[in-house]
């Protein structure tokens, strides 16, 4: 369940758009984003929301890809 704080950090309204959530340590999330870019699954790392602390998992971070 997303909090309203996280909703405000997303660059666009979610609407009916598909989402890919990456949750893990800061290093894990950055690595997966980089891997998706290298494998050309995404065209630009900026397609992901900024890295933010996960409100429901202390010590974890997350980023969301909006498609």
């Amino acid at each position: 369940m997303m909090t309203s704080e996280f909703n405000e950090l997303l660059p666009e309204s979610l609407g009916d758009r598909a989402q890919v959530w990456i949750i893990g340590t800061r290093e894990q999330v950055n690595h997966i984003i980089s891997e998706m870019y290298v494998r050309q699954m995404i065209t630009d790392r900026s397609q992901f929301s900024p890295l933010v602390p996960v409100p429901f998992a202390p010590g974890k971070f997350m980023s969301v890809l909006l498609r």
Side-chain angles (χ1 to χ4, degrees), residues 1-64:
M1 180 170 165
M2 287 191 351
T3 66
S4 60
E5 288 176 6
F6 185 70
N7 255 344
E8 292 170 8
L9 294 173
L10 292 174
E12 302 176 26
S13 172
L14 294 176
D16 291 332
R17 299 180 71 181
Q19 307 164 38
V20 176
W21 289 41
I22 301 174
I23 300 173
T25 65
R26 181 182 298 273
E27 293 79 20
Q28 288 170 327
V29 174
N30 281 324
H31 177 78
I32 292 170
I33 292 171
S34 294
E35 185 176 5
M36 290 179 79
Y37 177 73
V38 168
R39 293 177 185 243
Q40 299 179 346
M41 296 171 71
I42 58 171
T43 57
D44 189 347
R45 289 176 179 92
S46 69
Q47 291 174 271
F48 279 91
S49 67
L51 199 63
V52 295
V54 177
F56 50 83
K60 300 291 184 177
F61 293 83
M62 70 186 298
S63 184
V64 178

